[in-house]
Amino acid sequence: KNGTQKSYLPAIRRARAEFSGKRMREIEPYMISMFLKSLSSMARTTVSNQKTVLNAVFQEWVESAEWRGDYNPSEQAKTPRGLKKGRREPPTDKQIEIVKKHYLDPDALPAVLFLCTGERRGEACAIQLKDIDFENNRISITKAVEHKNNRPHITVTKTESGIRKIPLLSMLKEALEPLKGFDQDTFILSGTKTPLTASQYSRRWAAFWRKHGMAHPVVREYKRTRKGKEYSYKSTDWVADVCAHQFRHEYVCMLCMADVPEEIAIQLVGHANVKMIHEVYMSLKPKMIDSAQAKLDAFLCNSED
């Protein structure tokens, strides 16, 4: 997929630069380990992607009837410990309250959708009215939108686990009420039979947050070619102070605070296992600490009896 290519192509270039001139059988596990250690200043995901790419290259060599490779050294190499791990925080309480207070504002629909579903951006952009069962309060997630050079393309979900049904929460259901008379092929975020382009999505997302003082201007330089001559110009774009993926983190926190069992939660967010929820999405919020305090106080009081 296009998004995966953006992560993997730099890893391929680094691997070629590191092992250029060597035959496949000359590359040993310790060489790969040393190479991965040389990337320790990078984020853990970057180093992990590097190992994944090397593993895929060697596996192709092993499984090829033409090359008939004999072993995969990357399987024996370990990812270095102590790598930097970035964590995106959920939206602030103030940002969540803004969405809740203004959820019937048409400009708020993207934020309401992300808060009430925890969807990835591509999956959210692909939801059509025909995917929503208003009677049984279900949303079917079956596809995603991928943007290539700004243009939207319908593709598969990020993983097989991404194909699922999720609950239609009442706040989102009410926000979608104005669209119920539209054609069933209508994409709910664009309001048309065509998904939003990347730039349309960015402008719509920023427009809502700008209303509430949660966006900032960014001056960007663009280049255009006209009549064979290239010229540049500057334009001011507005960028929201919160991104859609932060609401995915909030959704996971909501599932936890609502005591939704983990085996159900991982299916609702479209992951194959609970590790991703624990390591990437889960954030310890003040309300969680308050809840733990209340439960522990109650336990201590009862244990004294």
Side-chain angles (χ1 to χ4, degrees), residues 79-198:
T79 304
R81 294 183 177 180
L83 295 172
K84 292 186 299 182
K85 180 182 177 182
R87 178 186 285 271
R88 184 183 281 118
E89 294 297 321
T92 63
D93 289 342
K94 182 178 180 180
Q95 290 164 340
I96 295 169
E97 284 305 311
I98 287 173
V99 178
K100 290 180 178 179
K101 185 177 180 180
H102 302 278
Y103 73 97
L104 292 179
D105 178 353
D107 285 337
L109 182 56
V112 176
L113 177 62
F114 289 120
L115 176 63
C116 293
T117 66
E119 285 306 300
R120 303 175 178 93
R121 190 184 81 166
E123 293 168 357
C125 287
I127 297 175
Q128 296 171 280
L129 283 176
K130 64 184 179 183
D131 299 320
I132 302 176
D133 182 346
F134 287 95
E135 184 176 345
N136 296 305
N137 296 316
R138 296 288 186 272
I139 303 176
S140 297
I141 306 300
T142 59
K143 56 191 180 301
V145 168
E146 187 176 62
H147 291 105
K148 298 180 181 179
N149 298 323
N150 192 44
R151 305 306 304 173
H153 300 268
I154 300 297
T155 183
V156 296
T157 57
K158 186 175 181 180
T159 65
E160 290 184 6
S161 301
I163 299 175
R164 63 204 188 279
K165 289 185 183 293
I166 60 174
L168 171 62
L169 303 188
S170 58
M171 181 186 294
L172 177 58
K173 185 176 183 178
E174 193 174 349
L176 290 172
E177 194 67 29
L179 296 178
K180 288 181 72 173
F182 286 39
D183 189 283
Q184 288 295 293
D185 288 331
T186 299
F187 290 89
I188 61 174
L189 288 187
S190 69
T192 69
K193 294 183 181 181
T194 304
L196 291 170
T197 65

Side-chain angles (χ1 to χ4, degrees), residues 49 63 67 111 129-130 165 179 203 229 246 260 285:
N49 284 344
E63 295 177 1
W67 295 319
L129 283 176
K130 64 184 179 183
K165 289 185 183 293
L179 296 178
R203 286 195 296 269
K229 292 184 179 180
Q246 287 178 260
V260 175
K285 304 191 73 171

Side-chain angles (χ1 to χ4, degrees), residues 272-292:
N273 58 66
V274 77
K275 182 180 179 182
M276 183 65 73
I277 290 180
H278 289 167
E279 294 189 356
V280 180
Y281 294 122
M282 179 63 72
S283 297
L284 191 62
K285 304 191 73 171
K287 290 180 181 178
M288 295 178 179
I289 300 175
D290 293 341
S291 176

